[in-house]
Amino acid sequence: MMRIPKAVVIGLILTAWSAALSAQNAAENPVTVQEVQRLRSQAANDATLSDEARTEIVGLYDTALGALEQAAGNRSARTDFDRSRRGIDRERQRLQAQLDRPAELPDVPLPDEPTVIQIEDVLGAERARLSASRASLQNLQRLAEEHAASRSQISQRLGELDLELERLDDELRRQEESAAPADLKMAGRIRLLALREAALTEQEMLHARLELLRERSTLKPIEIDLAQRRLELTQEVVANLEVAAHDLREQRAQQQFASIREQSLALSIEVPELAPLASEVEELAR
């Protein structure tokens, strides 16, 4: 069987990848992790290469492998972002329906004739709820600001990626005209193709994330309105409980005063000599 020279094989591979690059509308990248790993292993064990050339070529393949790993991560993230978008319309409808319902004060777990202690216990819980509602509203407002900042950063990064892709395409065109040794030329080209794939998949991932943030931003005004309403209702409950506790204390104080007055009056009648003392006690109880 006729042995095909190594230079011819490399030339054929370069020609195939050149054709693949020309068809840039293809959905799949011609460079695979398995192929790059095979070529890296081949270069690392090629005794015909100088140590310097071997180190350079292996380094180019390592860069390509890192870029392909990044591309795989970008695809996975894009899938996650697309999946997260699926339930947003349903969540928006649920939140809007909740907001459209008339606001009602929540039930307070108190008996029909509560004691001051019972009211104060519930009041403590409602004050904690009020603090949590206030923190929740602030958190939603902060998230809305962060989402706006994230959308701006993503748009900026997309612009940078456009420029990076133009640069990589220019380098690929120059690579075709390079007079470098075939091994080095192929490794350099694979590195550029892998970097291009990483940039393209990052673009796709960022577009998916940007769309997710845009759709989620439509939920934030409704969520903030609901949180504001919960805060206001809890404030009203706390205010009502504070009034109830105050009124009940006043009522208990009046009852105690009436009891002291009755006892003082009875004592002054029973023992006239103690009438001045009973009068002083009644005065102190006022």
Side-chain angles (χ1 to χ4, degrees):
M1 180 182 293
M2 183 178 64
R3 183 180 180 84
I4 302 176
K6 178 181 176 182
V8 173
V9 173
I10 293 175
L12 291 172
I13 294 175
L14 286 173
T15 301
W17 267 317
S18 178
L21 178 65
S22 299
Q24 290 180 359
N25 293 328
E28 296 296 329
N29 181 42
V31 182
T32 65
V33 171
Q34 293 77 9
E35 181 66 11
V36 177
Q37 288 174 336
R38 185 187 67 78
L39 290 171
R40 182 192 184 283
S41 177
Q42 179 179 305
N45 296 298
D46 190 345
T48 65
L49 293 173
S50 66
D51 290 343
E52 182 180 355
R54 185 183 300 106
T55 299
E56 184 176 2
I57 291 171
V58 169
L60 292 171
Y61 285 136
D62 284 341
T63 300
L65 288 170
L68 292 177
E69 182 179 353
Q70 179 184 344
N74 290 337
R75 293 189 190 94
S76 177
R78 177 189 175 181
T79 300
D80 291 340
F81 292 142
D82 288 340
R83 186 184 300 112
S84 297
R85 289 173 52 201
R86 294 174 189 166
I88 289 181
D89 285 340
R90 185 169 58 254
E91 178 66 7
R92 187 187 304 110
Q93 293 171 5
R94 185 189 69 81
L95 291 172
Q96 188 62 54
Q98 187 177 347
L99 185 63
D100 291 341
R101 287 197 293 269
E104 296 180 358
L105 286 177
D107 293 332
V108 177
L110 280 174
D112 293 337
E113 295 184 2
T115 64
V116 172
I117 292 177
Q118 288 173 324
I119 294 177
E120 288 178 341
D121 286 345
V122 174
L123 180 58
E126 290 302 319
R127 281 174 175 160
R129 190 192 306 275
L130 178 60
S131 178
S133 296
R134 200 173 277 123
S136 177
L137 176 59
Q138 292 171 349
N139 185 56
L140 285 171
Q141 292 168 335
R142 178 182 56 81
L143 284 176
E145 294 173 357
E146 289 180 356
H147 284 182
S150 295
R151 292 197 301 273
S152 176
Q153 292 170 359
I154 291 173
S155 297
Q156 180 178 346
R157 177 57 181 160
L158 286 171
E160 294 171 354
L161 286 169
D162 284 337
L163 296 176
E164 185 173 340
L165 283 167
E166 290 179 10
R167 179 185 63 78
L168 290 170
D169 286 342
D170 288 341
E171 287 192 38
L172 281 166
R173 282 189 287 270
R174 287 195 300 271
Q175 185 79 16
E176 294 178 4
E177 303 168 359
S178 172
D183 300 72
L184 183 60
K185 185 174 180 179
M186 180 169 64
R189 185 172 186 78
I190 290 176
R191 167 186 168 274
L192 291 173
L193 286 170
L195 290 173
R196 189 176 187 280
E197 180 68 6
L200 283 171
T201 55
E202 184 178 356
Q203 271 191 335
E204 295 167 355
M205 178 270 291
L206 289 176
H207 278 299
R209 185 185 174 201
L210 186 59
E211 192 61 30
L212 175 61
L213 287 172
R214 284 172 178 163
E215 293 190 17
R216 279 183 175 170
S217 68
T218 64
L219 302 179
K220 283 294 171 283
I222 308 175
E223 291 174 332
I224 289 173
D225 286 346
L226 284 169
Q228 182 67 47
R229 186 165 75 179
R230 282 192 297 269
L231 176 62
E232 292 170 355
L233 290 173
T234 307
Q235 285 174 328
E236 187 173 350
V237 169
V238 168
N240 291 342
L241 288 170
E242 288 174 342
V243 169
H246 176 270
D247 290 346
L248 192 53
R249 288 192 199 96
E250 286 290 318
Q251 181 183 344
R252 294 291 185 267
Q254 291 296 327
Q255 290 173 348
Q256 290 173 355
F257 170 69
S259 176
I260 291 173
R261 187 171 55 185
E262 290 175 1
Q263 292 174 11
S264 298
L265 180 59
L267 183 61
S268 64
I269 293 173
E270 184 177 346
V271 185
E273 293 82 0
L274 296 179
L277 180 60
S279 179
E280 289 181 11
V281 172
E282 182 177 345
E283 190 64 29
L284 289 172
R286 291 182 183 276

